[in-house]
Every structure is written in C-alpha cells, then in structure tokens.
C-alpha cells in the first residue's frame, strides 16, 4: 500500500511504502461547487491539506486564485467540504471561500497550472528520512498533469531531493520532461501552528526554480500572497538546505541550554537566573531549556546529517545535539522522581498530574510530543498518572498516552504536579489555592520555569525546574 498524500499525518511516524498510485482502489470525494477559474489568474492545486497545505490553499483563495485542495484522506476532505476547519489555526469561514474546493479525485490535478505539493516527510525508526510521501505524490501528480504545468514542492527534504526524487517520479509517470514540458520549483514551508503573529503572509518565503525563468515565475506567484516578501535562492538545493538548517540551528541552541541546565543542577546554580544575566549582553541569543518535540526541530537535523553522511562527512555536533535533546524527557522524569522522594512519597502509591500534553504551548497536537516519553518513564515506577490539556483531544490522548485524562481540571489528592507544556491557561494558577487541594507535602515540577519559584515554595511545594 502506498502512503497517502496527506500532511495531516505525523511527520515523525513510520509509514508504509509501495509503488501503486495513491488513489488506487480508493473511493473519490468529488469536487463541490466547481467553478471556472478566473480569467486573469491561474488555477492552483494544493496537494496535502494539513497544517501546511490548508493555510496555503486558503491564502491563494483569499487572493482570488481558483484553488483546488486535494487530499486522499476522505474524512479530512469531507470535513472541509462540510465547512469545518481541520487545523484549528484558520476558521470555518476562511475555509469556506468560494474560490476553494476540496477533493480526493486526483483527476483535478489536470485542471491546475500550478501544483503545490505539501506532504509529510517523516523519519523512520532508524532516523533515516522517509521520502515515500513525496515520491507517491509526484507519481500521482505525474499521472494527471498536462504539459505547461509548474510543480512546486514545499515539503521538508534534504538537499538534492527535488531533482533526485520528485522530478524523476513525475517524468516516469507523465512521459514529460522537466524543463521542457513542465517546470519545477521548491519553496520550503515555514508554517508555525498556533502562532497567529507568524502566519503565511507574515513570514518571508524562500523560493527557487530549476532556472531563472521558473524562479521569477514562482517568486511572482508567492509575492502575490506573502506580504513579507520572498527571498530568491540561487538554486533549488540552497532552498532545500535552508529549511533543514534553520531548524537544526534551533535544535543546536536548545541542546546547549538543555545541557547547561543539567550541568548547573549538579552545581546547584539556577539555570534560568544565569540565562537572564547572560541575556543582558546585546549579542546573547535567548533560548530556554525544555522538551523538544514537534514536526520540525527534532526531525529536520536528520535530513541534513543523512545527506551529509552520504557525501562522506558526519556532522558530529548536530548528532550530539540530537542526543542531548532526546535525553531530556528521561531527565524530566528523573527530576519528578527525585522530587517525590524528597517529599517522602512512595513512588508506587504516588499520584502525578501532568499539565500540558501537546508538543508546544497554544496547540492541541500531541503527535511527536515528548511529554509522552516522560510519562512512559514514570510509568515504569508504577506511578499513577493523570493528564490535562485544554487544547488536546482527550480521546486521542487516552489512546496515544494510555493515561486517564481529566475533562475538568482538578488537583484533588495529587502528590505532584508536572507542568510539562506551559499553555497560557496555566500561567495564572493560584498555587496557594492549589496547595489546599493536593496531598500533603506536594511537589511541583515546572519544566520550563513558567511559574514563580517563590510562589511555589511559599505555598509549600517542593519545586523543581530545568
């Protein structure tokens, strides 16, 4: 079975691969309210309607392009056709634009002058990049496109993937030749779920093309919807590399402060106080220790290290940074266990409430959340764990994490509170009031230091943070 063309899937999950076209054997959800494209603007087909593709489709539709949103996930398309936003970052009104239609029928690709592919690029269990989604999407697109079409890849890939994977798959299926019969560009996605200040129109878009003419055409297309403007990369490979480097840099910096936090713990020095002092220098970069989950920062470095190793060089610093950040969940679990011990709690009878289960504040996405790894370690000590997240789907959490989930927040009887993901809703917790509900001699493990340590200790909590 070929993996589906959908960026609603987890970028870090293991997926099946194969050679069948992605729509083989599947029922099709037809186009609704089909209209003829505007005479002055081309039709665009966005392949993959997840947190990258759907905002892109909406953005072009709001600029009066005729847009076809294509995804092989029936439930996603049916939900969008019913007028419901599947990402939580847009709005139901935004996805109901008259210029935008949704379909699982790959034949719709043939109606577009531009096809933009925004599908997942996970890593496998051995941390090797899995480009089967890209190849599958390219195969389906190649089976439907007409001569004259421009195909733009937005998925995160290692340098060389567009020319080595995407183009050959399209050429094999279509019988067309890139650069003669169809054209190819690459523009890495910079989607930031849950961040209203950095939407599609607010962030500079890196664009590239297989030649100067294609580059200018792709740049003009994106300039029409991105208010912040575009950056013209000199080659497709430069654009591909820029995506993995910008997130690898963040991984490196976070690994540095995570390692500092462990070192300073051994020295009995407050890490956050050190960083606050150091940040008064004008050229100090402000990072904070924490769990590194999600679909980009813990994934993209593997694309770089994989490609670099293929060319004979192992980037040791990036590999070490990944190891450091992957070790943090176990360290957080250890902080929790030691705090419980200091509170004279027997682990096998302790109850811990985990606040925040999503991979970052302000979103409900639990895929690739490192909170799961913390819980998994605590579970080895038979600690009774419950969770609460104001954004995450409770049924999804129960299935994925295997813990009880509170529908309404309650602190009653817990021996420890683990504030794992600092949603804004948790910033104003009244610790004095909470202390009257929890068990005697409670612990508070505040992973990112979102709460005031003085307030916690005054309320009687044994306080820990990275």
């Amino acid at each position: 079975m070929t993996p589906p063309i959908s960026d609603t899937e987890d970028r870090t999950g293991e997926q099946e691969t194969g050679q069948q076209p992605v729509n083989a054997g599947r029922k099709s959800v037809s186009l609704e309210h089909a209209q003829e494209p505007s005479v002055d603007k081309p039709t665009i087909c966005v392949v993959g309607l997840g947190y990258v593709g759907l905002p892109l489709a909406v953005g072009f539709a709001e600029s009066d392009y005729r847009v076809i949103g294509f995804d092989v996930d029936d439930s996603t398309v049916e939900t969008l056709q019913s007028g419901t936003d599947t990402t939580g970052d847009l709005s139901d009104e935004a996805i109901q634009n008259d210029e935008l239609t949704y379909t699982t029928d790959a034949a719709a690709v043939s109606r577009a002058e531009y096809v933009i592919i925004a599908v997942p690029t996970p890593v496998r269990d051995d941390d090797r990049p899995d480009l089967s989604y890209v190849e599958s999407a390219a195969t389906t697109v190649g089976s439907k496109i007409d001569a004259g079409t421009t195909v733009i890849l937005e998925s995160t890939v290692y340098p060389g993937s567009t020319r080595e994977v995407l183009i050959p798959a399209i050429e094999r299926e279509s019988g067309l030749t890139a650069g003669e019969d169809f054209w190819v560009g690459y523009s890495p996605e910079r989607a930031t779920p849950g961040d209203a200040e950095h939407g599609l129109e607010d962030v500079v878009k890196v664009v590239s093309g297989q030649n100067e003419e294609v580059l200018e055409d792709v740049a003009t297309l994106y300039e029409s919807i991105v208010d912040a403007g575009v950056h013209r990369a000199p080659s497709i490979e430069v654009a591909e590399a820029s995506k993995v480097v910008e997130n690898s840099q963040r991984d490196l910096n976070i690994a540095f402060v995570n390692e500092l936090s462990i070192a300073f713990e051994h020295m009995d020095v407050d890490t956050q106080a050190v960083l606050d002092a150091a940040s008064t220098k004008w050229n100090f970069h402000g990072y904070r220790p924490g769990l590194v989950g999600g679909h980009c920062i813990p994934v993209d470095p593997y694309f770089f290290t994989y490609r670099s190793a293929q060319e004979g060089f192992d980037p040791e610093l990036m590999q070490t940074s990944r190891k450091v950040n992957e070790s943090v969940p176990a360290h957080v679990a250890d902080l929790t266990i030691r705090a419980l011990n200091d509170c004279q709690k027997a682990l096998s009878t302790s109850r811990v409430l985990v606040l925040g289960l999503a991979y970052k504040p302000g979103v409900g996405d639990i895929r690739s959340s490192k909170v799961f790894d913390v819980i998994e370690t605590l579970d080895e000590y038979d600690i009774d764990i419950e969770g609460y997240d104001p954004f995450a789907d409770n049924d999804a959490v129960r299935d994925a994490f295997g813990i009880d989930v509170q529908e309404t927040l309650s602190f009653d009887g817990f021996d420890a509170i683990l504030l794992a993901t600092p949603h804004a809703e948790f910033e104003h917790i009244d610790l004095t009031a909470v202390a009257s509900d929890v068990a005697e001699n409670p612990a508070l493990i505040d992973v990112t230091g979102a709460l005031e340590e003085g307030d916690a200790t005054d309320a009687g909590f044994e306080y820990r943070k990275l």
Side-chain angles (χ1 to χ4, degrees):
M1 177 180 177
T2 303
I5 306 177
S6 171
D7 72 358
T8 60
E9 298 291 337
D10 184 359
R11 284 191 55 205
T12 60
E14 181 70 19
Q15 306 295 339
E16 295 176 285
T17 60
Q19 299 302 317
Q20 272 185 292
V22 295
N23 58 324
R26 296 182 59 86
K27 72 183 182 71
S28 171
V29 180
S30 63
L31 287 166
E32 289 189 346
H33 311 302
Q35 302 174 6
E36 291 300 317
S38 303
V39 295
D40 57 339
K41 286 193 175 182
T43 297
I44 298 169
C45 179
V46 177
V47 177
L49 298 175
Y51 76 98
V52 174
L54 185 59
L56 195 63
V58 169
F60 278 112
E62 289 177 344
S63 294
D64 296 325
Y65 289 91
R66 177 72 186 126
V67 182
I68 301 167
F70 170 66
D71 199 298
V72 296
D73 188 287
D74 294 330
S75 63
T76 295
V77 171
E78 288 169 354
T79 300
L80 291 170
Q81 287 181 340
S82 72
T84 302
D85 172 26
T86 54
T87 67
D89 279 339
L90 301 167
S91 68
D92 292 349
E93 182 181 5
I95 62 119
Q96 294 169 20
N97 193 302
D98 288 340
E99 297 294 332
L100 177 56
T101 56
Y102 308 97
T103 186
T104 58
D105 183 2
V109 171
S110 64
R111 296 175 50 198
E113 288 93 333
Y114 293 90
V115 177
I116 301 176
I117 297 175
V119 296
T121 47
V123 292
R124 301 180 187 275
D125 288 342
D126 60 1
D127 297 330
R128 290 185 300 114
D130 179 1
L131 298 187
S132 58
Y133 282 100
V134 171
E135 186 168 13
S136 181
T139 299
T140 296
V141 169
S143 71
K144 303 300 179 183
I145 64 168
D146 295 325
T149 304
T150 297
V151 180
I152 303 166
L153 180 62
E154 287 225 359
S155 304
T156 300
V157 293
Y158 55 77
S161 300
T162 302
R163 297 187 196 275
E164 297 169 9
V165 178
L166 182 83
I167 290 177
I170 296 175
E171 289 182 330
R172 283 196 305 269
E173 197 66 25
S174 67
L176 303 175
T177 301
E180 296 179 9
D181 305 312
F182 70 97
W183 293 271
V184 175
Y186 179 79
S187 179
E189 58 89 1
R190 280 178 165 171
T192 309
D195 186 347
E197 295 182 4
H198 297 94
L200 175 65
E201 68 277 5
D202 305 312
V203 180
V204 172
K205 201 83 166 71
V206 175
V207 298
S208 63
Q210 64 188 129
N211 57 43
E212 286 297 323
E213 185 177 356
V214 176
L215 171 62
E216 287 305 315
D217 185 41
V218 172
T220 299
L221 180 70
Y222 280 104
E223 282 174 335
S224 68
I225 64 167
V226 180
D227 296 338
V230 304
H231 173 83
R232 291 164 172 79
S235 70
I236 287 176
E237 289 73 18
V238 167
E240 291 169 325
S242 71
K243 171 60 178 179
V244 294
V245 166
E246 64 189 41
N247 282 321
S248 297
Q249 180 194 57
R250 294 173 67 193
D251 196 45
L252 284 163
N253 281 291
I254 298 170
F256 173 62
V257 293
N258 274 332
E259 191 165 66
L260 283 180
S261 73
I262 298 172
F264 282 135
E265 184 185 336
H266 284 79
M267 302 177 198
D268 196 25
V269 174
D270 187 328
T271 304
Q272 189 162 314
V274 172
L275 295 175
D276 289 343
S279 66
T280 60
K281 192 166 187 274
W282 77 91
N283 58 356
F284 186 83
H285 293 270
Y287 285 86
R288 290 287 185 265
L291 299 168
V292 184
H295 313 288
C296 293
I297 299 176
V299 177
D300 293 359
Y302 293 121
F303 284 78
F304 184 91
T305 57
Y306 172 80
R307 183 59 171 175
S308 182
Q310 281 187 321
E311 300 301 324
F313 177 73
D314 286 320
E316 296 181 5
L317 181 59
M318 295 177 68
Q319 293 171 341
T320 300
S321 296
R322 279 281 72 236
K323 291 178 182 178
V324 169
N325 285 335
E326 287 296 305
S327 73
V328 173
H331 180 61
V332 171
D334 183 59
L335 281 178
T336 305
I337 290 167
R338 285 189 282 125
L340 287 167
N341 285 331
D342 289 345
C343 293
Q344 307 301 312
K345 305 285 186 178
L347 298 182
S348 61
T349 59
S350 292
R351 299 179 64 223
V352 175
L353 175 62
V354 181
L355 297 182
L357 303 162
Y359 80 90
K360 74 171 188 175
V363 304
D365 195 345
I366 61 171
R367 300 170 301 168
S368 304
S369 172
K370 293 301 179 181
V371 181
F372 170 79
D373 296 353
V374 178
I375 291 173
E376 190 174 44
T377 301
L378 293 176
D379 188 58
E380 296 174 3
Y381 294 87
D382 294 325
I383 296 171
D384 184 12
I385 302 168
E386 288 187 21
Y388 174 79
D389 192 299
F391 294 97
D393 180 83
N394 288 339
D395 289 335
V397 172
R398 293 184 185 98
D399 291 342
F401 288 16
I403 61 173
D404 291 332
V405 183
Q406 295 184 359
E407 299 288 344
T408 303
L409 181 59
S410 171
F411 298 96
D412 189 38
F414 285 96
D415 297 287
I417 298 169
L418 171 57
L419 179 50
T421 306
H423 295 301
E425 285 75 4
F426 300 143
E427 292 177 0
H428 304 294
I429 289 177
D430 185 341
L431 293 176
T432 301
V434 171
S436 65
D437 293 332
V438 295
E440 187 177 356
N441 299 323
L444 172 60
I445 301 85
D446 180 11
V447 174
T448 64
L451 304 177
E452 291 293 333
E453 180 176 356
D455 293 344
T457 55
D458 288 347
F461 285 93
E462 182 73 24
Y463 183 82
R464 296 285 190 278
K465 67 179 177 181
L466 287 180

